[in-house]
Amino acid sequence: DQQVKQNSPSLSVQEGRISILNCDYTNSMFDYFLWYKKYPAEGPTFLISISSIKDKNEDGRFTVFLNKSAKHLSLHIVPSQPGDSAVYFCAASDSGYSTLTFGKGTMLLVSP
Amino acid sequence: KAGVTQTPRYLIKTRGQQVTLSCSPISGHRSVSWYQQTPGQGLQFLFEYFSETQRNKGNFPGRFSGRQFSNSRSEMNVSTLELGDSALYLCASSWNRVQDTQYFGPGTRLTVL
């Protein structure tokens, strides 16, 4: 039973355009969500997070939107750059000392 | 500040053998989590240690075990290796809770032949 789903295994975008990566979750207890980026041969690196008390969080070119009623979040990258090409993982957790549940990832390719 | 280090980076074993992987967290971080990454399953949580105690455990068989030392360094052990254990094993450390930003190491690539 996959509690965090990233239904698009890959996404191709042109440089300068917007990249939108989507994530759906099923566990209504999740209240904290994160995005990680992973380059080949490296561990994932934290990108941005959002708490369930918010519906939007921005950090530079990266914005995460949370729609609690739809149990959906998305990561927007504007403008996309070739260096953004990586695998993006969505992760979720509930309050307290619980675990992080990751999606399977979406590979983003930004072409010049 | 030094990042999370994992040793070894690559490992080749045969079925039935056992393996021990090591993780040194960022100085001051007390929580260490382990994940298995495979192409079909993404990152799957193995277990988390905090102050030498296993605080959370994922849905993996008992062949997978771990421990944490007083200096927060952690090891994970896989006994009786199976072909399906071939994966990238990632360690992540955070200050206290898993919701605190987790910093990942580069991983250990385990190949079971």
Side-chain angles (χ1 to χ4, degrees), chain A residues 32 36 38 41-44 46 89 93-100 102-104, chain B residues 9 35 37 40-41 43 45 55-56 88 90 96-99 101-102 104-106:
Chain A
Y32 191 68
Y36 280 82
K38 186 180 186 301
E42 295 183 13
F46 170 75
F89 290 98
S93 74
D94 58 22
S95 299
Y97 299 91
S98 184
T99 66
L100 280 182
F102 281 83
K104 293 186 178 182
Chain B
R9 291 293 309 276
Y35 296 86
Q37 185 188 9
Q41 298 298 320
L43 271 77
F45 173 76
R55 190 160 63 175
N56 288 291
L88 179 68
L90 291 159
N96 183 6
R97 307 177 311 157
V98 292
Q99 291 88 346
T101 300
Q102 289 200 15
F104 282 81

Side-chain angles (χ1 to χ4, degrees), chain A residues 10-40:
Chain A
S10 63
L11 175 68
S12 291
V13 171
Q14 281 194 313
E15 181 179 8
R17 308 293 286 267
I18 184 172
S19 294
I20 300 176
L21 295 96
N22 294 303
C23 178
D24 297 295
Y25 62 97
T26 58
N27 188 340
S28 57
M29 297 299 292
F30 287 150
D31 60 3
Y32 191 68
F33 305 89
L34 309 90
W35 285 92
Y36 280 82
K37 178 171 72 173
K38 186 180 186 301
Y39 294 116

Side-chain angles (χ1 to χ4, degrees), chain A residues 39-56:
Chain A
Y39 294 116
E42 295 183 13
T45 56
F46 170 75
L47 203 53
I48 192 169
S49 64
I50 188 167
S51 164
S52 61
I53 61 173
K54 295 184 175 182
D55 54 18
K56 177 182 173 181

Side-chain angles (χ1 to χ4, degrees), chain A residues 51-64:
Chain A
S51 164
S52 61
I53 61 173
K54 295 184 175 182
D55 54 18
K56 177 182 173 181
N57 189 27
E58 286 183 82
D59 185 1
R61 297 185 298 115
F62 303 92
T63 303
V64 56

Side-chain angles (χ1 to χ4, degrees), chain B residues 61-81:
Chain B
R63 299 185 297 107
F64 292 81
S65 63
R67 60 177 176 169
Q68 186 180 34
F69 302 95
S70 59
N71 61 359
S72 292
R73 190 177 71 84
S74 177
E75 289 182 346
M76 69 162 280
N77 183 277
V78 188
S79 63
T80 320
L81 284 166

